[in-house]
Amino acid sequence: QAQLVESGGGWVQAGESLRLSCSASGSIFRVQTMRWYRQAPGTQRELVASVTSGGTIDYSGPAKGRFAISRDNAKNTVYLQMNSLKPEDTAVYYCNADISTTHTMGSITEIGSRTYWGQGTQVTVSS
């Protein structure tokens, strides 16, 4: 099993910046694609940005030009640098990752893969 823990959310004024972090821990064999999603009240969760283990990055429309995703593979950590924040960026931000984990029973080690979610971190931007 693995866990994702986000940090770095908070309250800021429009135009300011925040940096979110998300670290994976547990019986990790490999962390593949890591993503940031967000969900504002009354809306569906939407993809903000993603980064593969090889460093390929993709952004959704609202994030382009203002947000930057990065990762530290040695630390199994993904970051989201958010600049020029707007009130419409207010949401709960969730980390998401495709993780392979190991499970050992006696002399047998199995590897399983699935997608994990963090608990979310609140970002509030006031005008």
Side-chain angles (χ1 to χ4, degrees), residues 8-67:
W11 180 91
V12 296
Q13 293 190 325
E16 294 183 341
S17 300
L18 276 176
R19 188 191 195 208
L20 306 182
S21 300
C22 171
S23 294
S25 62
S27 303
I28 295 173
F29 175 73
R30 183 171 58 220
V31 180
Q32 292 132 309
T33 300
M34 304 186 82
R35 308 171 187 88
W36 286 99
Y37 284 78
R38 69 184 186 184
Q39 186 169 22
T43 69
Q44 289 189 334
R45 195 170 296 188
E46 64 174 352
L47 179 64
V48 176
S50 65
V51 57
T52 68
S53 58
T56 299
I57 290 173
D58 191 29
Y59 295 103
S60 67
K64 290 181 179 178
R66 297 188 298 124
F67 294 2

Side-chain angles (χ1 to χ4, degrees), residues 56-120:
T56 299
I57 290 173
D58 191 29
Y59 295 103
S60 67
K64 290 181 179 178
R66 297 188 298 124
F67 294 2
I69 190 171
S70 61
R71 66 187 284 172
D72 184 333
N73 289 332
K75 296 181 179 179
N76 290 327
T77 298
V78 63
Y79 305 96
L80 186 68
Q81 178 67 42
M82 304 185 293
N83 300 321
S84 302
L85 284 162
K86 304 175 182 180
E88 50 264 43
D89 294 318
T90 295
V92 178
Y93 284 71
Y94 296 92
C95 177
N96 165 293
D98 301 327
I99 301 175
S100 299
T101 55
T102 58
H103 177 65
T104 299
M105 291 185 63
S107 61
I108 299 174
T109 297
E110 296 180 337
I111 297 173
S113 299
R114 71 174 183 93
T115 300
Y116 291 81
W117 288 91
Q119 82 286 354

